[in-house]
Amino acid sequence: MINMQSMPKLGFGLMRLPEQNGEIDLAHVDRMVDAYMKKGFNYFDTAYVYHGGKSETAIRETLVKRYPRESFYLATKLPAWMMSGPEDRDRIFNEQLMRCGVDYFDFYLLHSLEEGVNYDTYVKHDCFRWGMQKKEEGKIKHFGFSFHGTPELLEQVLDKHPEVEFVQIQLNYADWNNPLVYSGRLYEILHSRNMPVIVMEPVKGGTLANLQPELEGMLKDLRPDASAASWALRFAGSLEGVMTILSGMSNEEQMEDNLHTFAEFEPLSEKEKQVIDEVVRKMLDMPLIPCTSCRYCCDGCPAGIRIPDVFRALNTVRMYPEDNRPQMYYNGLISKSGKASASVACGQCERVCPQHLQIIELMKEAAEKLDKQE
């Protein structure tokens, strides 16, 4: 049983760590870890696939070797798409223990459970029973899953597996009524069952931290000194039953802002909720690609396309069709990334996209608008 009172409200997500020369900047992460721990927060969330497998090793160097093991919570995940047989469960798990330099994980998740191959793989390889076995062995303290599927599947899984102790879902105000993400409905299902909720993507991959000037102005009118990101975090933190809110922080400035938000947490007022509703209404009028830059799509892309970065350029073109800056950004991008027009439409990216984006069609649009035609 999870002691909700002992859990920190702000969790440090380790999927967007600062890099230097293509490698994780460990000195920078050291400073971020120290600032986070100093304020009394201690939940760290990594995964086997983050940063091409280097996130787990980074947390060993920046946290595990520098702080007593009992002073922090460490969470990581088992990826269905990296398994071809049941023997891969222990192979990956043992590698994770070694990478992280620990004897056990406080929280362990089946990664990105959703309809189709991922869920079928977890069922086929009996991963729920295996997870509980690891818990009995003392190598996992709490067992759960991260979820990107439909409300119907969530209820089905919870009915079949009452042993699950927590669920991690994407939740933010922009996706509350999103017909593909289902933030609101998933939260209501979990809350009605008194299931502890871990929130991922509360700022939607940075999208809600970098709003259009008009939308940010609406927030500034009420709280002139508050960042747009703080509004998104407070939205998630104002919901009952939310155990921890993960933020994939990339620099010390983001860390400082988030710590300020949670040091003396203030739930949203009714007036602030109304303003957020209006911001969402206006956001939905802007046809932007809701990519969160999780980068699952990048691993295994045969054309080497940095898809989230292409989408960033395409979104800017959509918003500012007369601005030449997105083209300049894109030209620099393709010096180290495949062009959008290099896409072979294999569909690998679409199969792993948590947002269920039609990436193949979007690559065609990007190629038409950004690639120089011969």
Side-chain angles (χ1 to χ4, degrees), residues 43 45-48 56 74-79 83 88-94 96-97 104-111 122 127 130-132 134-135 139-146 164-166 198:
Y43 186 97
D45 173 86
T46 184
Y48 187 71
E56 291 176 328
L74 183 59
T76 193
K77 311 175 188 74
L78 180 73
M83 294 192 293
D88 289 326
R89 302 171 308 190
D90 282 304
R91 177 185 62 79
I92 292 172
F93 186 81
N94 290 333
Q96 290 177 305
L97 290 173
Y104 67 91
F105 294 110
D106 301 280
F107 293 81
Y108 197 79
L109 300 83
L110 303 182
H111 198 169
Y122 292 132
C127 291
W130 171 86
M132 295 308 294
K134 290 299 177 190
K135 183 178 177 183
K139 294 183 178 180
I140 294 173
K141 299 297 183 184
H142 301 290
F143 180 64
F145 57 86
S146 63
V164 167
E165 298 174 86
F166 66 97
I198 297 179

Side-chain angles (χ1 to χ4, degrees), residues 300-362:
C301 175
I305 302 171
R306 290 167 54 170
I307 297 168
D309 301 313
V310 173
F311 287 165
R312 178 182 176 187
L314 182 55
N315 272 337
T316 310
V317 167
R318 286 182 174 189
M319 289 187 290
Y320 307 106
E322 304 303 322
D323 194 336
N324 66 349
R325 285 176 295 180
Q327 186 66 61
M328 294 170 60
Y329 165 80
Y330 181 76
N331 290 343
L333 170 66
I334 60 176
S335 66
K336 49 187 179 293
S337 165
K339 293 183 177 181
S341 57
S343 170
V344 297
C346 64
Q348 182 273 342
C349 51
E350 292 190 352
R351 288 191 291 273
V352 299
C353 177
Q355 311 307 316
H356 308 290
L357 300 178
Q358 295 182 333
I359 297 175
I360 293 172
E361 290 303 312
L362 291 168

Side-chain angles (χ1 to χ4, degrees), residues 37-98:
M37 292 285 282
K38 185 177 180 180
K39 289 291 186 179
F41 299 98
N42 62 350
Y43 186 97
F44 297 83
D45 173 86
T46 184
Y48 187 71
V49 297
Y50 289 172
H51 282 275
K54 296 178 181 178
S55 173
E56 291 176 328
T57 303
I59 206 59
R60 180 187 69 210
E61 299 300 315
T62 59
L63 174 70
V64 176
K65 288 185 176 181
R66 300 172 63 241
Y67 287 89
R69 179 64 184 91
E70 66 276 8
S71 67
F72 58 85
Y73 299 110
L74 183 59
T76 193
K77 311 175 188 74
L78 180 73
W81 57 99
M82 303 292 286
M83 294 192 293
S84 57
E87 66 279 0
D88 289 326
R89 302 171 308 190
D90 282 304
R91 177 185 62 79
I92 292 172
F93 186 81
N94 290 333
E95 185 179 352
Q96 290 177 305
L97 290 173
M98 180 185 67

Side-chain angles (χ1 to χ4, degrees), residues 255-299:
M255 175 66 75
E256 182 179 354
D257 184 51
N258 290 350
L259 291 174
H260 177 74
T261 299
F262 283 96
E264 295 183 10
F265 185 78
E266 183 180 347
L268 292 174
S269 67
E270 288 304 314
K271 175 62 176 175
E272 288 172 325
K273 292 177 183 177
Q274 292 172 10
V275 171
I276 283 180
D277 288 342
E278 182 63 14
V279 167
V280 172
R281 188 187 67 77
K282 290 182 177 292
M283 285 180 69
L284 293 177
D285 292 336
M286 300 177 182
L288 301 183
I289 303 165
C291 173
T292 66
S293 295
C294 69
R295 297 191 178 275
Y296 296 170
C297 56
C298 295
D299 290 337

